[in-house]
Amino acid sequence: MNPQPLVPDTDPHRLAAAIGGHHLIAGQLVRAASGKTFAVVNPATGREVANAALGDNDDIHRAVSAAARAQIAWAAMPARKRGALVSDCARLLAEHVEELGRLVALETGKALRTESRVEAGVVADALQFYGGLASELKGESVPFNPEMLTVTQREPIGVVGVIIPWNAPMMLMALKIAPALVAGNTVVVKSAEEAPLAVLRVCQILNQKLPAGVLNIVSGFGPECGAPLVAHPQVGKVTFTGSVETGRIVARMAGEKLIPVTLELGGKSPMIVMGDADIDKAVNGAVAGMRFTRQGQSCTAASRILVHDAVHDAFVTALKARVDAMTMGDPLDEATDIGTLISRTQLAKVLDYIESGRAMPGAKALECSALPAQDHLRQGLFVRPVIFTGLDNGCRLAREEIFGPVTCVIRFRSYDEAIAMANDSAYGLAATIWTRDLKTALDATRRLQAGFVQVNQNIVVQPGLSYGGIKQSGLGREASLEAMLEHFTHKKTVIFNMN
């Protein structure tokens, strides 16, 4: 453990410079074995704010070896003691919410007030939630034979490899590492190359409470750093959040080793607005559900809004007005509602989708909000949110995951038509329906093909709610007791012959 308490530092530039260029292995900040680094760029200004350690196979081997050594004693520790340590980590993280919010805003371009500070708070909440579930790591008594005592017990898998994305890096890391740790596993995290700093700081803070080697983090790129983590012979489980394409690669590599994998992949989440819906509430739900404050960079973004013909025009008018009223600007400014996209690659992709939509017959592109005018933001990766109308459910923009502030509002005339359109997708992560009719709501929750369905609300994933998708949206569940038991432990059957 680190004997020196870390003092919160709310200057994100200073903090980025202090921790940049390091992995965290065996409880210590260390340089990459090669000595190489790569730049971390503030997407709001285009300026480099720090370097990150460029990890490769040697760094992964160091981290996994440290985790494997630490796992023996960690697994032998009573489960409630592990849970208490993870809960202690949550309380410690709560002291660092402001610094973590500012740091993740700096590296990702997510607005501090509407996104980054909120995410930092959820990290502590996730750890607190799982810390309290340690007593649930229990087995069962099986009535197999009266002359035999038959029981099952839950045992940790060993070393868990965690690969996280850049859009909500701290929250998504917490929802993976917390159940893994409480269950008795040790962890090696591979951070997203676009956002390696805040998650490194989280791990540094947690290592003040955790034994050395229990939680490690390495930064780098997928082929050189992520792939060796999945392939390492001492890694017994992989949990990944990211694109469908990369998820397939991870699944294939894990399949070669015959180890379990959890995948949280893409989405094209439908939002159905019935003719009897409360339009004001539905518009607020669309703003929240599209994650406009995150520039639409969310796998659950409501990027297909199916609206009954009777209320379509009124809904579109109200939605545009709400987004127009949002302020786009410096992510660290408290007045900012909407920040930036993450990278120039993502910006080019989003702009291509917008231009593709403009070229479609009958399409109307409603640009919203306004680009910031400040000189220091001229190189920032800002893009105005776009609401498309006049498109159908079969077009490219309605079928592919854009991961940007672009949504399609599509008319429908009957409830059955809306359900059919909602389910006509390769994805099945999330869905919502907005209606005052209880029968319609109940029927929709049965018929909608998604792993996370809501009625008259559009909240993000929360600790305690089982979360995950079907179809190409992934495998397994997160954020729940079920996730810890089913995805981070093995079940062993033990039989005592009493004769």
Side-chain angles (χ1 to χ4, degrees), residues 119 123 162 164-177 241 264 294 299 461 467 478:
E119 181 189 350
V123 176
V162 171
I164 55 175
W166 45 259
N167 61 324
M170 296 187 296
M171 180 188 75
L172 294 173
M173 180 178 75
L175 292 174
K176 296 175 185 298
I177 67 173
T241 296
E264 200 273 276
R294 200 190 297 175
C299 49
V461 59
Y467 174 75
E478 294 187 313

Side-chain angles (χ1 to χ4, degrees), residues 219-290:
S219 54
F221 293 80
E224 298 82 14
C225 193
L229 177 60
V230 179
H232 197 286
Q234 288 181 290
V235 170
K237 156 83 185 187
V238 174
T239 173
F240 167 86
T241 296
S243 70
V244 174
E245 294 75 16
T246 306
R248 289 193 179 102
I249 295 171
V250 170
R252 283 196 293 269
M253 294 182 68
E256 288 294 319
K257 293 171 59 180
L258 296 178
I259 63 171
V261 61
T262 300
L263 302 174
E264 200 273 276
L265 307 177
K268 196 67 183 174
S269 302
M271 173 178 174
I272 299 174
V273 181
M274 297 299 295
D276 67 341
D278 183 316
I279 296 301
D280 288 340
K281 289 182 178 179
V283 167
N284 289 336
V287 172
M290 246 311 292

Side-chain angles (χ1 to χ4, degrees), residues 31-243:
R31 301 286 182 180
S34 67
K36 295 180 180 179
T37 61
F38 62 96
V40 181
V41 175
N42 178 357
T45 64
R47 297 170 187 160
E48 183 177 324
V49 294
N51 289 318
L54 184 60
D56 60 19
N57 186 69
D58 290 340
D59 300 296
I60 290 296
H61 184 68
R62 280 196 295 167
V64 174
S65 297
R69 290 192 299 270
Q71 201 270 331
I72 298 171
W74 182 246
M77 184 182 293
R80 289 187 65 181
K81 186 174 181 181
R82 291 196 304 266
L85 281 173
V86 171
S87 294
D88 286 346
C89 288
R91 287 186 284 272
L92 188 59
L93 272 177
E95 301 172 8
H96 292 260
V97 165
E98 187 63 20
E99 88 165 17
L100 292 171
R102 290 179 173 275
L103 187 57
V104 82
L106 180 71
E107 65 180 336
T108 66
K110 296 197 305 179
L112 175 63
R113 176 176 54 83
T114 57
E115 283 288 337
S116 295
R117 189 181 285 131
V118 176
E119 181 189 350
V122 173
V123 176
D125 186 32
L127 290 166
Q128 189 69 54
F129 170 74
Y130 277 108
L133 291 180
S135 294
E136 298 303 314
L137 290 159
K138 55 194 176 187
E140 306 148 321
S141 174
V142 181
F144 172 64
N145 187 315
E147 297 182 351
M148 299 176 185
L149 174 62
T150 305
V151 298
T152 65
Q153 57 193 43
R154 293 282 181 179
E155 296 184 349
I157 292 171
V159 177
V160 173
V162 171
I163 302 176
I164 55 175
W166 45 259
N167 61 324
M170 296 187 296
M171 180 188 75
L172 294 173
M173 180 178 75
L175 292 174
K176 296 175 185 298
I177 67 173
L181 294 174
V182 172
N185 305 284
T186 52
V187 173
V188 177
V189 179
K190 187 272 178 191
S191 61
E193 53 267 29
E194 298 90 347
L197 298 176
V199 289
L200 173 62
R201 181 62 167 177
V202 169
C203 290
Q204 185 188 24
I205 294 166
L206 300 190
N207 267 268
Q208 292 183 100
K209 294 290 183 182
L210 299 174
V214 167
L215 175 61
N216 311 271
I217 186 166
V218 178
S219 54
F221 293 80
E224 298 82 14
C225 193
L229 177 60
V230 179
H232 197 286
Q234 288 181 290
V235 170
K237 156 83 185 187
V238 174
T239 173
F240 167 86
T241 296
S243 70

Side-chain angles (χ1 to χ4, degrees), residues 393-414:
N393 197 54
C395 74
R396 180 187 177 213
L397 271 68
R399 303 198 71 79
E400 299 178 13
E401 186 175 41
I402 299 173
F403 231 64
V406 181
T407 190
C408 301
V409 180
I410 302 171
R411 293 179 185 266
F412 70 86
R413 288 174 174 77
S414 73

